[in-house]
Amino acid sequence: MHSVPPMRVRWRRVLAAAGSLLAALAVAVSAYAMHAAHPAARERLLLAAAFAMVHGVALAALAPWVPRCLVSGR
């Protein structure tokens, strides 16, 4: 029988997955900006993609250090 992982482990997985998805979305937005977007919107889309990439990598990298207060709700 499989045991349910502790709440902290689940939060770590959720945050790491969210960071990975955000980074993947950043790649897709930057590809759209370079290949299909109107030139006037390109700069803003590339800036948004850069911010999404940085935040996604930060979420994925910092997920192992989920504090107990986040899990317990205190």
Side-chain angles (χ1 to χ4, degrees):
M1 179 177 274
H2 296 286
S3 62
V4 176
M7 185 65 84
R8 187 187 300 178
V9 172
R10 280 187 266 165
W11 271 108
R12 288 177 182 169
R13 290 178 183 171
V14 167
L15 290 175
S20 299
L21 288 174
L22 193 57
L25 180 68
V27 171
V29 169
S30 64
Y32 172 75
M34 292 307 292
H35 298 289
H38 191 274
R42 183 172 293 153
E43 185 177 338
R44 286 187 180 183
L45 283 171
L46 288 174
L47 182 62
F51 274 102
M53 178 63 78
V54 170
H55 283 90
V57 168
L59 269 176
L62 297 177
W65 291 283
V66 173
R68 289 183 182 199
C69 63
L70 180 65
V71 175
S72 66
R74 293 183 194 174

